[in-house]
Amino acid sequence: GDRIALSSPAGEISYDRLRGHADALAARLYAAGARPGDLVGILLPRGPDAVTAMLGTWQAGAAYVPLDPEYPSARLEFMVADSNTRVVVTDAAHADLLPGHVTAVLVGQPPAATENLTPVTPVAPRQDDPAYVVYTSGSTGTPKGVLVPHGALAARVDWMRSGYGIAADDQILQSASLSFDTHAEEIYPCLATGATLVLPAPETSLPEELAEHRLDAVTVLDLPTPYWHELVESPTAITWPAALRLLVLGADQVRPGALAAWREQVGDRVRVVNSYGPTETTVIATTADLGAADTLGRPPIGTPIGRTRTLVCDAYGNPVPPGVPGELYIGGDGVTHGYLGRPGATAGVFVPDPHGPPG
């Protein structure tokens, strides 16, 4: 309807207009050769065009591969080749970063006269259909593409909407790079609820946006824990949004001292959730609400979220008693399909649960 889906320095886009833009892009992707089940690259900075590209890719029945324009060209070429991506959504400013054999669909300009466009009839994805592929950092070797199915993403979005209490009057900041799966936590619970996604200019920093009071109406922030540590322990005071009600942290251990500094600045008015989960389990797997008691010791990563199972096991796969160190196993609806084109690596990490239901 007329509700605002996206708010950015370029203006506001209603849900109706966003759907229209996504439908139009789906037709262009189909004309460029993208078919259901294919992987379509998205080489764009975060912003309205990127959100349109994700939804348009899904409307065409395909899955998307985020390609960060800040990445070195060798890494982009590797990801395009590794994922067998042949069609990429980009803009005129970044099209030169693409390998020559790839078909570029440019946003921000009208379709070429040679594009033979016919509307695409969207087909509801099945649970096992791929939604997106996010690449690991490659810090332990070659980057691997994690194939996330729609069913796993839907299970996570369903929990986030209820677990975080997302409502239609929320304004949620989209600050994560699209190459990190946190973007899914920011974007999809928001749009699935009819809330407003706030998209700052890609070239501005969060402290700049906050200092200029451009984010005063934001109600939900989702930040990497190390970055949050920097902000709360900075000698320069940060002006947090007046409307902020929820802060979600993730990607590292929360320091008790940083939590104490945050509570001195903000008090109890903002709910703080510590989240944990590898990309292989679709964004998050456990959460803990943090309070005053967590400033005194190591803040926990919490308990499993809905339709998720966790178990700490010894080297032989046997569950260990509470308080005994071991390896964390995660099961349930958020487990992804493994590593794209790497059955050996997948088999080594995605193992059957001997203590859970069959399958």
Side-chain angles (χ1 to χ4, degrees):
D2 288 338
R3 292 191 63 83
I4 301 303
L6 310 179
S7 175
S8 76
E12 295 179 335
I13 297 176
S14 69
Y15 274 87
D16 277 346
R17 276 185 62 207
L18 179 59
R19 174 179 281 278
H21 291 171
D23 287 344
L25 181 61
R28 296 184 65 197
L29 288 171
Y30 192 86
R35 294 294 179 266
D38 285 355
L39 297 180
V40 169
I42 297 179
L43 180 65
L44 291 167
R46 54 182 167 77
D49 285 343
V51 177
T52 300
M54 295 173 193
L55 299 179
T57 299
W58 284 351
Q59 293 286 73
Y64 64 85
V65 183
L67 303 168
D68 193 326
E70 300 294 318
Y71 280 167
S73 58
R75 171 148 180 152
L76 290 175
E77 287 181 18
F78 165 79
M79 292 165 69
V80 167
D82 185 72
S83 60
N84 196 27
T85 293
R86 296 186 297 274
V87 177
V88 174
V89 183
T90 187
D91 56 18
H94 299 101
D96 289 347
L97 299 174
L98 288 172
H101 67 279
V102 170
T103 301
V105 175
L106 298 184
V107 295
Q109 61 186 58
T114 53
E115 289 186 65
N116 183 20
L117 300 183
T118 52
V120 174
T121 304
V123 177
R126 294 168 302 193
Q127 295 269 324
D128 284 343
D129 287 344
Y132 61 82
V133 172
V134 169
Y135 274 79
T136 60
S137 64
S139 55
T140 56
T142 304
K144 297 185 288 290
V146 178
L147 188 61
V148 179
H150 276 281
L153 178 60
R156 288 293 183 254
V157 169
D158 188 46
W159 182 88
M160 290 164 183
R161 290 175 67 186
S162 59
Y164 295 150
I166 305 299
D169 59 356
D170 271 317
Q171 294 204 21
I172 300 173
L173 188 70
Q174 206 281 290
S175 60
S177 162
L178 305 184
S179 53
F180 294 105
D181 61 357
T182 306
H183 79 266
E185 184 170 49
E186 295 172 329
I187 295 171
Y188 300 124
C190 175
L191 298 183
T193 309
T196 298
L197 191 69
V198 178
L199 298 147
E203 64 276 5
T204 61
S205 71
L206 181 58
E208 288 170 339
E209 293 283 333
L210 292 169
E212 295 292 329
H213 295 281
R214 289 195 285 261
L215 304 178
D216 281 358
V218 165
T219 58
V220 179
L221 279 179
D222 200 321
L223 297 177
T225 304
Y227 184 48
W228 175 75
H229 285 158
E230 282 181 34
L231 295 178
V232 294
E233 294 171 350
S234 162
T236 308
I238 298 290
T239 308
W240 298 100
L244 189 65
R245 67 164 187 85
L246 172 65
L247 170 71
V248 181
L249 301 172
D252 207 347
Q253 176 69 44
V254 173
R255 290 203 294 259
L259 185 61
W262 164 267
R263 290 180 60 81
E264 280 180 23
Q265 296 169 32
V266 180
D268 268 326
R269 73 174 177 88
V270 176
R271 179 186 174 199
V272 179
V273 177
N274 187 26
S275 68
Y276 166 80
T279 301
E280 290 84 346
T281 62
T282 312
V283 192
I284 60 170
T286 70
T287 61
D289 278 63
L290 302 184
D294 298 302
T295 62
L296 305 174
R298 185 172 178 168
I301 61 170
T303 54
I305 63 173
R307 290 145 66 181
T308 300
R309 173 179 165 84
T310 58
L311 210 55
V312 178
C313 296
D314 61 20
Y316 303 100
N318 300 310
V320 298
V324 176
E327 190 164 20
L328 180 63
Y329 286 73
I330 302 171
D333 289 0
V335 175
T336 60
H337 279 179
Y339 302 117
L340 184 68
R342 288 177 170 76
T346 298
V349 175
F350 291 78
V351 297
D353 180 0
H355 309 285

